[in-house]
Amino acid sequence: MSSSAAVPQSVPAEPGTGPELVAAVDIGGTKTAAALVDAAGTLVARTQRPTPATAPAEAVLGAVLDAVEELAAHPRWSAAAALGIGSAGPVDAAAGTVSPVNIAAWRGFPLVERVAGHPAVGVPVALLGDGVAIAEAEAWRGAAAGYRNALCMVVSTGVGGGLVLDGAVYAGPSGNAGHIGHITVGMDGPPCPCGSRGCVEVYASGTAIARYAAEQGLRPPDGDTTAAAVATAALAGDGVALAAYDRAARALAAGIAATATLVELEAVVIGGGVAQSGPVLFDPLARHLASYAALPFTHGIRLHHARLGTDAGLVGAAAAAMRLAGAPGPRTGK
């Protein structure tokens, strides 16, 4: 198992095979970002707003539309052929609706209809879950390029994921395939906001790591109780902080092993704020994965840091917009 093996780079789109520019929106529980993205996956312009996740539905939509309106004022907006939205989920890509676990006011919210109907937009709109967007991005320009079967994950305030199967991103009928954060790994575990119990997310998200460390008595000297502060304490050798990350890594390993048993993975790509802790997360993850992935065909899964950082959701949403506008779409593997 490796966290540093070389991976072939993805090949840029051929000239003339699709649009030169698309727009992209990435909606999360804490921020909403929007960008213009070219055919090579490069962000031409970018803006961001806080997501008012506890506000009424129209206020959340307002943050999205404010970001889109700012983009629409850019000189190159007229060249954008489509708009892709990657949203916290679950989503219903066919219906164009979203019901994010971390945005309470959006339940069956008609996001595509409302965005497409805004006077500033004027282009077709594609919707996908944020985990699928991560997979689109990393398969196109990141650490999953070159693999035919991979799981791409974001571990942040929540835990999401998307799948690359047989060389193509697989979103599933509703656009939620690969949502590893809501695989149950503890049958009698803590309740999850999704309505189930013992989900990967309730152990491995940044929020869960910080909460567990505080419950076990960790008191950082500067009063910072975030998962990043817990990671700093773990790097300094604090036993409680190390235990919090070990617990998170064990949950992730159980979820990854379950996924690998179902679809046979070659690699797992992990991004998001929690992944920035580096060896504090990846070392125990590799150790636990070797234990949980026990069947021979699940051995040797390679672990990689995501390459596209906080822009992955935008790049993935842009990939979906490219496809909607007529591009073949990212493919990976040989």
Side-chain angles (χ1 to χ4, degrees), residues 153-159 201 203-210 226-228 230-231 244-245 248-249 252 270-282 285 305:
M153 300 179 62
V154 57
V155 186
S156 186
T157 51
V159 177
E201 188 169 295
Y203 300 102
S205 70
T207 305
I209 291 168
T226 63
V230 178
Y245 268 88
L252 289 171
I270 304 177
V274 172
Q276 301 305 308
S277 59
V280 169
L281 176 70
F282 278 80
L285 175 56
H305 292 269

Side-chain angles (χ1 to χ4, degrees), residues 201-222:
E201 188 169 295
V202 301
Y203 300 102
S205 70
T207 305
I209 291 168
R211 181 187 302 117
Y212 180 81
E215 290 171 350
Q216 299 303 307
L218 180 65
R219 299 290 182 270
D222 59 1

Side-chain angles (χ1 to χ4, degrees), residues 21-280:
L21 199 71
V22 294
V25 176
D26 177 25
I27 303 170
T30 58
K31 67 175 176 66
T32 294
L36 292 174
V37 184
D38 68 17
T42 302
L43 272 60
V44 174
R46 188 186 191 282
T47 187
Q48 185 171 308
R49 302 285 189 279
T51 300
T54 60
E58 292 300 317
V60 184
L61 177 65
V64 175
L65 295 179
D66 281 351
V68 172
E69 287 172 357
E70 182 177 333
L71 276 190
H74 191 276
R76 294 193 63 188
W77 173 263
S78 61
L83 187 152
I85 302 174
S87 174
V91 305
D92 186 331
T97 61
V98 297
S99 304
V101 171
N102 52 3
I103 302 177
W106 276 5
R107 291 294 175 267
F109 187 78
L111 183 61
V112 169
E113 177 185 338
R114 296 297 302 276
V115 172
H118 191 274
V121 177
V123 293
V125 177
L127 173 67
L128 67 167
D130 55 359
V132 175
I134 295 294
E136 291 271 13
E138 291 292 331
W140 183 15
R141 294 189 56 220
Y147 288 114
R148 292 192 63 82
N149 299 284
L151 170 67
C152 300
M153 300 179 62
V154 57
V155 186
S156 186
T157 51
V159 177
L163 290 165
V164 179
L165 299 179
D166 198 23
V169 175
Y170 178 73
S174 68
N176 295 287
H179 204 345
I180 187 173
H182 296 287
I183 288 178
T184 295
V185 292
M187 289 189 297
D188 298 315
C192 179
C194 78
S196 187
R197 303 187 69 90
C199 294
V200 170
E201 188 169 295
V202 301
Y203 300 102
S205 70
T207 305
I209 291 168
R211 181 187 302 117
Y212 180 81
E215 290 171 350
Q216 299 303 307
L218 180 65
R219 299 290 182 270
D222 59 1
D224 184 354
T225 58
T226 63
V230 178
T232 299
L235 286 168
D238 184 275
V240 169
L242 286 166
Y245 268 88
D246 185 80
R247 177 177 182 261
R250 186 177 178 188
L252 289 171
I256 291 167
T259 305
T261 303
L262 288 174
V263 299
E264 297 195 46
L265 299 173
E266 300 165 78
V268 176
V269 176
I270 304 177
V274 172
Q276 301 305 308
S277 59
V280 169

